Amino acid sequence: MTGALAPTKPLTAADRCDRCGAQAYVRAVLVGGGDLLFCAHHGRKYSEALRSNGADIQDETDKLTTTPASASDDER
């Protein structure tokens, strides 16, 4: 996240991109209030323009490359 706005809650699988409806991984918190949600593709496309207009960007695209921990053999 950038800027000095209050932290926002993490994005979930229920959060959808405002442009295409895919799972959202980027939140742009607008200066005038409100926010926009974007998938990774649209987040990359619009983040710089939004940031230059003062939006605070919450980027969680690292979730796309993080491998969840799997259960050990003892837990199965």
Side-chain angles (χ1 to χ4, degrees):
M1 203 159 75
T2 63
L5 296 178
T8 56
K9 63 184 177 181
L11 294 165
T12 69
D15 293 311
R16 311 313 286 178
C17 176
D18 290 329
R19 292 291 296 166
C20 68
Q23 184 173 345
Y25 290 95
V26 177
R27 174 183 282 126
V29 180
L30 306 175
V31 174
D35 61 2
L36 297 170
L37 301 178
F38 296 109
C39 63
H41 165 78
H42 287 111
R44 282 189 300 275
K45 185 173 181 178
Y46 298 114
S47 287
E48 286 307 314
L50 288 162
R51 187 177 285 117
S52 69
N53 283 298
D56 190 41
I57 305 298
Q58 175 186 351
D59 184 343
E60 297 183 9
T61 55
D62 60 322
K63 290 180 179 179
L64 292 167
T65 56
T66 303
T67 305
S70 60
S72 68
D73 288 334
D74 294 335
E75 295 176 14
R76 293 183 190 170

